[in-house]
Amino acid sequence: MKKHPGLKILCGVLALLSALTVTVLAASYDSSEDPIISLSYLTNVFRPSIEKDYEEKIAALEARIDTLTQGNYAPPETEPEPETEPETMPVPEQTASVTYEVVQMKYGDCLFAAGAVDIMLRAGSAICIAPDATQGISDYTEGAEIYNGESLTKNHMCLIPRGDGRGIMATAESVYIMVRGDYSLVES
């Protein structure tokens, strides 16, 4: 086998020219026209178009807000409704308090709900009073029903749903409860 030293040199020169060609082409390549998403596309093309859309929408909303706040807005014309007397709503005699009230009870005192009442036993002991054996007081905390004669648990939030004779009776010398709503207290 004969060795050809010129063939090795020729192969080396061709490899060098190929590498230079690839380098020149890669350096002059503009990726902004490439359909593959690149960082330059995201920062130079996509982001400015999104920002422009948002700025246009924000400007339109600000103009709408200005129009509405300046009183220049006229609602679409509709036919006027015939005038009728407003219906009068019955006004309850008692209004429920929106805050909790601390009530002290003595042994044998009974508290009866006049409507829906939230209660929480804070000190002492008390039992449920319910005229219907199938209904009682809801214990929010435990998610259970407390029936007639059953004890309330301290610091449990309870609901007397309506004023139908349901309530609680103190079974200790000193009982403190928190009450929100209308109730009547019958002392022993």
Side-chain angles (χ1 to χ4, degrees), residues 111-157:
L111 180 138
F112 293 100
V117 175
D118 286 323
I119 60 171
M120 179 186 288
L121 178 65
R122 295 291 291 147
S125 60
I127 60 169
C128 171
I129 300 171
D132 186 350
T134 62
Q135 296 178 347
I137 297 173
S138 280
D139 184 334
Y140 289 146
T141 307
E142 193 171 310
E145 190 83 7
I146 303 169
Y147 295 104
N148 190 39
E150 293 181 355
S151 296
L152 276 70
T153 306
K154 285 183 186 173
N155 298 319
H156 278 216
M157 198 69 211

Side-chain angles (χ1 to χ4, degrees), residues 85-93:
E85 287 192 32
E87 294 181 27
T88 57
M89 305 239 343
V91 178
E93 292 179 21

Side-chain angles (χ1 to χ4, degrees), residues 44-143:
N44 297 333
V45 178
F46 184 71
R47 182 177 177 186
S49 71
I50 294 295
E51 287 175 350
K52 180 181 174 190
D53 288 345
Y54 279 123
E55 288 172 2
E56 289 172 358
K57 288 179 183 178
I58 289 171
L61 288 173
E62 286 174 346
R64 175 94 169 133
I65 290 170
D66 288 341
T67 303
L68 292 174
T69 57
Q70 292 174 359
N72 298 334
Y73 174 72
E77 301 221 1
T78 59
E79 292 182 23
E81 293 183 20
E83 290 188 29
T84 59
E85 287 192 32
E87 294 181 27
T88 57
M89 305 239 343
V91 178
E93 292 179 21
Q94 294 179 334
T95 58
S97 68
V98 293
T99 60
Y100 285 94
E101 176 184 351
V102 177
V103 177
Q104 181 180 9
M105 298 171 66
K106 295 181 181 123
Y107 183 83
D109 289 353
C110 295
L111 180 138
F112 293 100
V117 175
D118 286 323
I119 60 171
M120 179 186 288
L121 178 65
R122 295 291 291 147
S125 60
I127 60 169
C128 171
I129 300 171
D132 186 350
T134 62
Q135 296 178 347
I137 297 173
S138 280
D139 184 334
Y140 289 146
T141 307
E142 193 171 310

Side-chain angles (χ1 to χ4, degrees), residues 6-77:
L7 187 58
K8 286 184 181 180
I9 293 173
L10 183 62
C11 287
V13 170
L14 286 175
L16 183 62
L17 284 174
S18 296
L20 284 174
T21 304
V22 168
T23 303
V24 168
L25 288 175
S28 66
Y29 177 70
D30 183 17
S31 65
S32 65
E33 300 298 322
D34 192 354
I36 296 175
I37 296 177
S38 64
L39 180 61
S40 63
Y41 173 79
L42 290 175
T43 57
N44 297 333
V45 178
F46 184 71
R47 182 177 177 186
S49 71
I50 294 295
E51 287 175 350
K52 180 181 174 190
D53 288 345
Y54 279 123
E55 288 172 2
E56 289 172 358
K57 288 179 183 178
I58 289 171
L61 288 173
E62 286 174 346
R64 175 94 169 133
I65 290 170
D66 288 341
T67 303
L68 292 174
T69 57
Q70 292 174 359
N72 298 334
Y73 174 72
E77 301 221 1

